Amino acid sequence: MRNKLIYFIFLTIAFTSMIQSCQNETSINFKRYYVNGKRLYENNCQNCHGSDGKGLGTLYPPLTDSSYLNLNRNKLACIIRNGQTGTVRVNNIAYDGIMPGNQTLADIDIAQVIVYITNSFGNKQGFYDSEFAKNDLVKCK
Amino acid sequence: MKKVVLVALASLIFQSCINTSEKKLPILGEREPVEKTVAGKLLIDTIYQTVPAFSYFNQDSIPVTNKDFDNKIYVTDFFFTSCNTICPIMHRNMLNVYTKFKGNPKVKFLSHTIDIKYDLPSKLKSYASKLGIEGNQWEFVHGSRDSIFGIAAKSYLVSAFEDSTDPQGLVHQGWFILVDTKKQLRGAYDGTKEDQVNQLMKDMELLLKEEFGNEK
């Protein structure tokens, strides 16, 4: 009985460490980006967009519209750095507010926030690294 | 032994029952004792600080005065529509409180803008609609600089001022102040903290019971 238990524990440990070492670099990076992105989101975005990403009335749009985020994936970095004004349609509702820019966030911070918002609140869009952010940021209007 | 524990437990439960039914919210602010003579006897009475008369314009450009709050309890705060730091959090929380007491004729909400220059009633109207507020249970008001900053500091004990070193030029605290039907201050809650806002909702129920009993 005891031997069996030890054998079982040994197997589990061996198995999990095998899985862990199989994890490729991207998914480790993904996790790092996601965790840092969450913290950046809490400090810079959550007051307006909410801890659940649902926004607030039609004052602040939600971040739950996967198709909006997907269609505008290459513009998110610019929206975050420079802010946005004018009318924007999210979940088929018009929002006409002012989002302030975040000039102090570095490229990698912006990439981390993007990984967080595009993989939370019901979104699942995978990884986006700081090289992507750099490329997208060059094209800001 | 077991019996002793049981008795102790039972009395504890009993006491906690009594405590909740008798619990009253404190009265905040300044107070002064006054002497008065009732039926030939000298008595000491305490006079508590109250909110003085006020007159503002609300989101519909209609005058709103202290009379509109007579015989009601209300929650009040200070904000401005373009504030992008604590105001969204405060009003997300206030919206929860409003939703809970929506339609209750004994409860009102009063948000003062401290951006005297830009937050004219039309601005307040658009803000209120975007927040999803119709009607006048929740008043968003505009007043003169002196009347707003004065009442904030003196009557509601909330610090709010213009500050050229602040990126937005305006600084204010995020308190929600609970006021009773006698215009006395009965509670102060950090409007950016969910647990304190939950406490506010509980305290409002308690105050409603104190003020109106079980009348509906």
Side-chain angles (χ1 to χ4, degrees), chain A residues 50-121:
Chain A
S51 58
D52 49 9
K54 289 206 179 115
L56 177 60
T58 52
L59 285 167
Y60 306 110
L63 300 173
T64 55
D65 185 343
S66 296
S67 65
Y68 176 93
L69 292 178
N70 204 14
L71 277 172
N72 295 282
R73 189 166 171 78
N74 300 327
K75 297 193 191 126
L76 295 180
C78 294
I79 296 178
I80 293 168
R81 173 152 302 159
N82 299 323
Q84 180 172 300
T85 56
T87 306
V88 54
R89 287 193 82 81
V90 182
N91 282 333
N92 236 347
I93 294 170
Y95 294 83
D96 182 14
I98 299 174
M99 160 146 164
N102 293 274
Q103 301 294 342
T104 54
L105 294 185
D107 294 3
I108 183 157
D109 298 331
I110 290 182
Q112 287 171 340
V113 171
I114 290 177
V115 166
Y116 179 68
I117 63 172
T118 57
N119 292 284
S120 304
F121 323 129

Side-chain angles (χ1 to χ4, degrees), chain A residues 44-56:
Chain A
N44 298 287
C45 326
Q46 182 162 304
N47 58 339
C48 292
H49 293 287
S51 58
D52 49 9
K54 289 206 179 115
L56 177 60

